[in-house]
Amino acid sequence: MAAAKNQAATQTNTGKPGVKHFAKSYGNVIIFVAVWLYGMLFIENFIGIENGINIITQGAIAAICCLGMTFVLMTGGIDLSVGYLVGFCAYIFGYCTVMRGMPVALAIIITLLVGAFFGLINGLLVQMLKIPAFIVTLGSGYIIYGIAQIFSNGSAITNLPPAVLAVGRAKFFGLSSTVWIMLLVSVVCFFILHKSTYGRALTSVGLNPAASGLSGINASFTTIAVYVICGTCSALGAVLMAARVNNCVCSMGGTDFTFTVITAAVLGGASLFGGVGTVWGSLLGVMTIYTIQNILGLLSVNYYMYTAVQSIIILAAIIFENVKNRVIQ
């Protein structure tokens, strides 16, 4: 016993376990701070309240979708249909408000239900038929995009009513309604993921599905529900995106948006192997991605370079996750 205490004291004094633990638990914070320090030291016009608010506003919609993706990643799954669903739901929202003249509240409800429905389909296929989530959601994404193109005939809906535009553009205390809605969704997701019985069940299912079933957790419901949550978050993001840009077209979102959402979640600490993920980490991941995008924009870097940088980031994040899980115990 004394030897164990002495060894623990020695380790504490050397600081190695503490450093390892910090690197494992707060690697996303280190990356975020490093990106901001680079911007502050080397990028002109980066420092400023206006630019900071701009970064938060630009990343708010992706943050909402990223939170939905975090729930899916917690089960060890993935949803590659998010971007396509955003485009389809954006058109549905425009169709309901402009073409059918529905009240904004009713149009939002219908759009959210459409997102939840496709999320439910994904969840049922993954859980009940035991088809890999990668295959299911990739296929459903292309199906959703095809349905969207047929339904819209490739056209766009513009000139949304002022009441619709206010959903994503109204400002309160200097921040747009999109940011406030993102913060509200974040609070709800925080309580679901970190303070509820479902959140604990979700972590258990992600870490060990077989053991969670033996402990009385309904793994099927838990898994299906995360895809419904992700689909609903995607639909909400679509509503805000359509309102912000005053345009509803099926090509909104797509593969690039899906890739951004997944990158942000992984960069924020969510594990691609399930069981690990936090609300604050995913938000931090989104802000890191959009800070990098902002820096590249200030440097006048073209879009293709940004795509390459983003690809390097997610690859580095995956490598770091594998290394830290094997080396840092």
Side-chain angles (χ1 to χ4, degrees), residues 7 65 77 109 219 264 301 319:
Q7 183 179 3
C65 297
I109 292 173
V301 175
I319 293 173

Side-chain angles (χ1 to χ4, degrees), residues 203-219:
T203 302
S204 178
V205 169
L207 292 174
N208 194 327
S212 64
L214 294 175
S215 62
I217 295 174
N218 190 334

Side-chain angles (χ1 to χ4, degrees), residues 11-85:
Q11 289 178 339
T12 302
N13 292 333
T14 58
K16 290 182 180 179
V19 172
K20 289 182 178 181
H21 176 74
F22 184 84
K24 183 175 181 179
S25 302
Y26 302 103
N28 49 5
V29 178
I30 296 172
I31 296 172
F32 177 76
V33 172
V35 171
W36 267 86
L37 284 176
Y38 178 85
M40 292 169 62
L41 295 174
F42 301 106
I43 307 300
E44 187 179 358
N45 299 324
F46 178 80
I47 301 177
I49 296 177
E50 184 177 349
N51 190 52
I53 292 176
N54 179 55
I55 293 173
I56 296 172
T57 303
Q58 292 294 324
I61 294 174
I64 292 172
C65 297
C66 183
L67 291 173
M69 183 67 72
T70 301
F71 277 85
V72 175
L73 292 175
M74 286 285 290
T75 64
I78 196 168
D79 192 344
L80 300 178
S81 67
V82 165
Y84 297 108
L85 187 57

Side-chain angles (χ1 to χ4, degrees), residues 26-313:
Y26 302 103
N28 49 5
V29 178
I30 296 172
I31 296 172
F32 177 76
V33 172
V35 171
W36 267 86
L37 284 176
Y38 178 85
M40 292 169 62
L41 295 174
F42 301 106
I43 307 300
E44 187 179 358
N45 299 324
F46 178 80
I47 301 177
I49 296 177
E50 184 177 349
N51 190 52
I53 292 176
N54 179 55
I55 293 173
I56 296 172
T57 303
Q58 292 294 324
I61 294 174
I64 292 172
C65 297
C66 183
L67 291 173
M69 183 67 72
T70 301
F71 277 85
V72 175
L73 292 175
M74 286 285 290
T75 64
I78 196 168
D79 192 344
L80 300 178
S81 67
V82 165
Y84 297 108
L85 187 57
V86 167
F88 182 46
C89 287
Y91 189 85
I92 291 293
F93 180 64
Y95 178 82
C96 290
T97 54
V98 177
M99 307 297 289
R100 293 299 179 184
M102 295 182 184
V104 177
L106 178 59
I108 292 175
I109 292 173
I110 291 174
T111 305
L112 295 180
L113 289 175
V114 169
F117 171 77
F118 281 105
L120 176 63
I121 297 299
N122 283 336
L124 289 172
L125 291 175
V126 170
Q127 182 62 31
M128 299 305 180
L129 300 183
K130 303 302 179 183
I131 304 174
F134 178 89
I135 302 299
V136 169
T137 57
L138 180 63
S140 66
Y142 281 112
I143 292 172
I144 291 169
Y145 183 71
I147 294 173
Q149 290 294 334
I150 294 172
F151 183 69
S152 66
N153 198 27
S155 62
I157 298 175
T158 56
N159 299 321
L160 301 177
V164 174
L165 299 179
V167 173
R169 296 184 178 183
K171 287 194 174 184
F172 306 96
F173 303 104
L175 297 176
S176 72
S177 54
T178 301
V179 175
W180 288 110
I181 293 172
M182 179 269 290
L183 293 175
L184 177 60
V185 172
S186 300
V187 171
V188 173
C189 288
F190 176 82
F191 279 99
I192 293 175
L193 188 58
H194 302 297
K195 299 297 182 180
S196 71
T197 303
Y198 176 78
R200 291 190 290 273
L202 182 59
T203 302
S204 178
V205 169
L207 292 174
N208 194 327
S212 64
L214 294 175
S215 62
I217 295 174
N218 190 334
S220 295
F221 170 79
T222 302
T223 302
I224 294 172
V226 298
Y227 288 94
V228 175
I229 292 172
C230 189
T232 305
C233 287
S234 300
L236 178 58
V239 170
L240 297 174
M241 188 179 294
R244 196 173 77 181
V245 303
N246 192 20
N247 189 23
C248 303
V249 60
C250 298
S251 59
M252 297 170 69
T255 305
D256 291 345
F257 186 76
T258 302
F259 194 50
T260 297
V261 168
I262 296 173
T263 303
V266 174
L267 193 61
S271 173
L272 292 171
F273 306 103
V276 180
T278 60
V279 169
W280 76 268
S282 294
L283 295 178
L284 194 64
V286 171
M287 291 303 114
T288 302
I289 290 293
Y290 278 85
T291 300
I292 294 172
Q293 182 177 340
N294 180 264
I295 290 174
L296 294 177
L298 293 174
L299 291 173
S300 300
V301 175
N302 64 44
Y303 169 78
Y304 300 105
M305 178 60 72
Y306 166 70
T307 303
V309 171
Q310 187 179 16
S311 301
I312 293 171
I313 290 171

